[in-house]
Amino acid sequence: MMWLAALCVFLAAACRYDYGERRIPNNLIIWTAAAGAVWRLWNERAPGLLWYLGQAVLVMAILYPLFKIGGLGAGDVKLLGVTAGYLPAEKILVFLFCSLLVAAMISVVKMWKRGAGGAQGGICLSGPVLVSVLLLLGGVY
């Protein structure tokens, strides 16, 4: 679980940028990806590295259409993909579901507080991603 703790540090940094500047720097995504790839390579050798890359690219490819229609930002898609690479394959769909569910709940609260047009400008997805990883660490899924 040490690797998930390291992931939480990267996700906390992503939250700082996402909530402060409304963007996630590419160099933070690259460092997060490099740490995950090295961790998988160290523990599982070449197959682990290939699984990491495959999971990350697959999640990004699946979420790319949401970026194209404006539902997600590019940094959000990259962050979700890089984070998915850290997780066991059987946890990825639950991770995506939890992340997007938390984001949807935040969006509903924003709309409720400000009226129907209150969620304009979107929400920062790095927070829900961090919450989802913390739920995994806490044994919720």
Side-chain angles (χ1 to χ4, degrees):
M1 289 296 174
M2 183 70 147
W3 46 275
L4 280 179
L7 175 61
C8 287
V9 171
F10 286 116
L11 291 175
C15 285
R16 183 256 177 245
Y17 285 105
D18 203 9
Y19 286 99
E21 301 174 14
R22 304 289 295 173
R23 61 180 294 279
I24 302 170
N26 284 335
N27 61 356
L28 180 60
I29 297 291
I30 290 169
W31 280 106
T32 306
V38 167
W39 169 76
R40 293 287 289 260
L41 181 65
W42 182 268
N43 286 321
E44 303 167 21
R45 306 290 181 242
L49 176 62
L50 293 175
W51 272 105
Y52 177 87
L53 295 173
Q55 288 174 189
V57 169
L58 180 62
V59 167
M60 285 187 255
I62 289 170
L63 295 175
Y64 181 74
L66 290 175
F67 162 70
K68 287 301 283 183
I69 64 171
L72 290 175
D76 297 331
V77 171
K78 292 181 278 188
L79 186 67
L80 285 164
V82 166
T83 303
Y86 278 80
L87 305 177
E90 64 272 5
K91 302 282 187 184
I92 292 175
L93 285 178
V94 178
F95 156 73
L96 290 172
F97 176 78
C98 287
S99 297
L100 297 176
L101 180 64
V102 171
M105 291 188 305
I106 292 169
S107 182
V108 166
V109 169
K110 280 181 78 173
M111 287 187 334
W112 177 68
K113 288 177 89 174
R114 297 185 186 155
Q120 291 176 347
I123 63 165
C124 299
L125 199 60
S126 58
V129 170
L130 177 59
V131 168
S132 184
V133 170
L134 290 174
L135 289 172
L136 174 65
L137 272 171
V140 173
Y141 67 91

